[in-house]
Structure formats: structure tokens, C-alpha cells
């Protein structure tokens, strides 16, 4: 039953990753928190385990999502390359920041973030497009900030990357595709950091590799890789307006539950 739950979660996360470029982590973390609570995982490590596991699953989600977007020629690889330089540093610092925050406080921070993202999606708030894509240093700096925040929230950075890239005049499909590509270095750097930070922690459950819970990783990865391609195809065919608002309502409810 537990594996089935993780497989269903992976399917949902994969579709979200391909459709919106959000990496799926924004919904994986809350569901893992609920699942780990039901399993009786120690509250001291529960939230960090959810964040670390979410980041590890995004590695698999991103690979297939990026392949599909690349096949359609939508990824702006030069932008990806310069942002990645900042992402790698920012993701490592973000993991250290998250590890220094106690579990209940980290849950509240994630709850506030989920509500903020839900409002942005529901109201379709977008910054006005700037005149051009920024230079290399600016892209690296933006990548550092996005990598830092993404490691704390356990996400692939899409909810931050897509608004930034559209603000800098990228068409939405290219912004989603490039954001999906940026999710891979975010997930790799952050997941490895969380593994190292949680190594040999006696409060973690069996089958944990640092702050990554392997059964959840396996179940989510099994389905997310397939459904990420499905979501990417939908992104090139459908208007996601209604889906975004439904997703925003779900996010708002989850965020509110973390704060109450």
C-alpha cells in the first residue's frame, strides 16, 4: 500500500513537472510529510527527510521532462549553463540552511511558500517582461538565489525559475523547458547535500540514505519518469489555465494545513 501511494505521487509529480516546469516538489514535500507522520517517523527529522527525498526524486523527473522539451527545441542551453554555475553553489548553501532549521519551523516556512505560490498561480501574477535576457553574471546570481531557496523548500525551482525567465522576455514554453533543465542540477546538488548532512543520523528510519528515504524515492521515480514526458507533451498542446487554478487551490490548502 505504501509503495502504491508513492507511485501515485510520482505520477502526479511527473505530470506537474512537465506541464508547469515546477518539478513536482511543491506537492511531493507536503504529501511525504503526511506519509512520514503516519509511519511514525521522528518529528525531529521528518521534515528534512521529506525535503531531501523530494529533491532526490526530482533528479528522475527532470531527466525525462528535459529530454522531451529538448526534442522540441525549447531549452535555452546557454541560459541553463550560466544559471547552473550559481545553482550548484546556492543549492549547497540552501541545504546547510535547511539543516540548521528545526523541523516544525521548516514546515511553517514551506507552508508560507506553498500559499505564496498558490496565490501567484491562481491570480496569474506575472512580472512585466524586461527588454532582454540578463548577462552571464546576472544569470549566475539568479541561479544562486533560486538554488538556495529550492534546496530549503525541496523543489526543482520551477516556481521561481519560470517567473524569472518570463520576466526576462523568454516565451512561456522556453521558460518552462529551461526551468525544467535547471531543476536537474538543483536536485543533484541538493540531494547529495541532504544525504551527507543526514548521514548516520540515528533518528532516521531504516532504508534511509542520509535525509533520503529510499522506498519513497523508488516508488516515486518508477512513475514520475514516464509521466514527466506526458506532462511535457501536454504543455505544448493545452492551455493550463484551469489546471493551474485547481492546483493553486490544492497548494493553498496544503500550505494552510502546515501553518495551523
Amino acid at each position: 500500500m505504501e509503495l502504491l501511494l508513492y507511485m501515485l505521487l510520482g505520477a502526479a509529480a511527473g505530470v506537474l513537472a512537465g506541464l508547469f516546469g515546477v518539478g513536482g516538489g511543491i506537492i511531493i514535500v507536503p504529501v511525504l510529510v503526511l506519509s512520514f507522520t503516519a509511519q511514525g517517523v521522528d518529528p525531529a527529522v521528518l521534515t528534512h527527510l521529506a525535503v531531501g527525498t523530494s529533491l532526490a526524486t526530482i533528479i528522475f523527473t527532470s531527466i525525462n521532462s528535459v529530454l522531451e522539451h529538448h526534442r522540441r527545441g525549447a531549452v535555452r542551453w546557454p541560459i541553463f549553463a550560466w544559471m547552473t554555475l550559481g545553482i550548484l553553489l546556492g543549492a549547497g548553501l540552501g541545504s546547510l540552511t535547511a539543516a540548521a532549521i528545526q523541523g516544525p519551523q521548516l514546515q511553517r516556512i514551506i507552508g508560507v511558500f506553498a500559499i505564496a505560490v498558490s496565490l501567484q498561480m491562481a491570480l496569474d501574477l506575472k512580472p512585466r517582461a524586461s527588454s532582454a535576457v540578463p548577462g552571464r553574471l546576472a544569470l549566475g546570481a539568479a541561479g544562486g538565489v533560486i538554488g538556495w531557496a529550492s534546496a530549503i523548500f525541496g523543489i526543482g525551482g520551477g516556481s521561481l525559475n519560470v517567473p524569472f525567465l518570463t520576466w526576462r522576455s523568454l516565451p512561456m514554453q522556453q521558460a518552462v523547458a529551461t526551468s525544467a533543465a535547471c531543476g536537474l542540477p538543483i536536485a543533484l546538488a541538493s540531494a547529495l547535500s541532504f544525504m551527507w548532512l543526514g548521514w548516520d543520523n540515528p533518528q532516521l528510519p531504516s532504508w534511509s540514505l542520509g535525509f533520503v528515504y529510499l522506498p519513497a524515492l523508488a516508488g516515486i521515480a518508477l512513475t514520475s519518469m514516464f509521466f514527466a514526458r506526458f506532462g511535457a507533451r501536454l504543455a505544448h498542446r493545452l492551455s493550463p489555465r484551469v489546471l493551474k487554478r485547481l492546483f493553486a487551490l490544492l497548494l493553498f490548502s496544503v500550505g494552510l494545513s502546515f501553518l495551523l
Side-chain angles (χ1 to χ4, degrees):
M1 190 66 184
E2 181 183 332
L3 182 61
L4 178 61
L5 170 65
Y6 293 138
M7 291 177 69
L8 290 173
L9 178 56
V15 172
L16 293 173
L19 189 58
F20 301 128
V22 297
I26 194 68
I27 196 63
I28 290 176
V29 172
V31 174
L32 286 180
V33 166
L34 295 174
S35 175
F36 293 159
T37 300
Q39 290 176 237
V41 175
D42 194 315
V45 298
L46 183 151
T47 307
H48 296 87
L49 187 63
V51 171
T53 303
S54 171
L55 290 162
T57 65
I58 292 169
I59 296 171
F60 299 94
T61 305
S62 293
I63 290 171
N64 279 271
S65 179
V66 172
L67 287 174
E68 184 64 27
H69 285 298
H70 174 68
R71 189 176 70 83
R72 296 173 180 269
V75 181
R76 295 282 294 272
W77 290 110
I79 294 175
F80 161 83
W82 286 105
M83 289 191 71
T84 295
L85 294 177
I87 282 170
L88 294 175
L89 176 61
L93 292 175
S95 302
L96 291 171
T97 304
I101 302 172
Q102 292 185 347
Q105 284 70 37
L106 185 57
Q107 281 192 35
R108 294 188 187 99
I109 292 171
I110 294 171
V112 171
F113 177 72
I115 289 174
V117 172
S118 74
L119 293 175
Q120 184 271 328
M121 295 184 78
L123 301 175
D124 201 23
L125 299 175
K126 297 177 182 176
R128 287 186 178 181
S130 179
S131 57
V133 174
R136 296 171 179 177
L137 289 178
L139 286 173
V145 173
I146 291 170
W148 174 80
S150 299
I152 294 174
F153 301 132
I155 62 174
S159 51
L160 303 172
N161 259 321
V162 172
F164 169 71
L165 292 173
T166 53
W167 172 49
R168 303 308 303 205
S169 300
L170 261 69
M172 177 56 73
Q173 287 185 349
Q174 290 186 14
V176 169
T178 307
S179 170
C182 289
L184 185 56
I186 288 173
L188 277 169
S190 302
L192 289 172
S193 297
F194 270 88
M195 287 180 186
W196 174 68
L197 290 167
W199 202 262
D200 288 335
N201 189 314
Q203 297 168 299
L204 289 169
S206 301
W207 299 102
S208 294
L209 192 62
F211 286 126
V212 174
Y213 186 55
L214 296 179
L217 172 60
I220 294 170
L222 279 172
T223 52
S224 66
M225 295 182 72
F226 169 77
F227 280 92
R229 286 199 169 191
F230 175 69
R233 292 190 189 105
L234 287 179
H236 291 268
R237 295 179 183 177
L238 303 176
S239 171
R241 184 167 183 166
V242 174
L243 289 174
K244 285 176 84 170
R245 291 187 174 177
L246 291 173
F247 182 49
L249 179 61
L250 174 63
L251 274 185
F252 185 86
S253 302
V254 169
L256 195 61
S257 72
F258 273 27
L259 297 177
L260 297 179

